Amino acid sequence: MDAIITLRGLPALPAVGMRDTALLPEYVIPAFKLSYPDAPVVEIPDAGQFPAEDAPQDSAGTAQTVPANDARAHLNPSSDYNSPPT
């Protein structure tokens, strides 16, 4: 149970291909929202299961919306990831 609590504390941002026929968005998005109710969901209308391949122009900036330093700091809070590189 501690692992679930830890995971819920990490930044999360799914990019969902709205034309996905394997992982149906009408189920994936609500399931994601159960664990991360306040997290945003990026819906990519012209993408299927692989948004980065199907609609690279729409999915390219998705990962940049979650700061990498923030995510790494959550994974190892004792590390000094938030310091600028030398």
Side-chain angles (χ1 to χ4, degrees), residues 14 16 20 23-33:
V16 179
D20 192 336
L23 301 171
L24 301 175
E26 59 264 29
Y27 299 112
V28 169
I29 295 171
F32 173 80
K33 287 298 207 174

Side-chain angles (χ1 to χ4, degrees), residues 1-12 34-37 74-75:
M1 193 62 161
D2 290 338
I4 293 171
I5 293 168
T6 300
L7 286 174
R8 286 183 178 164
L10 295 174
L34 286 173
S35 293
Y36 297 94
H74 283 288
L75 292 173

Side-chain angles (χ1 to χ4, degrees), residues 45-85:
D46 295 324
Q49 189 172 9
F50 303 102
E53 291 181 16
D54 298 338
Q57 68 284 0
D58 295 329
S59 58
T62 301
Q64 295 175 352
T65 61
V66 177
N69 284 344
D70 186 41
R72 288 189 303 229
H74 283 288
L75 292 173
N76 190 354
S78 63
S79 295
D80 194 12
Y81 285 117
N82 292 318
S83 297

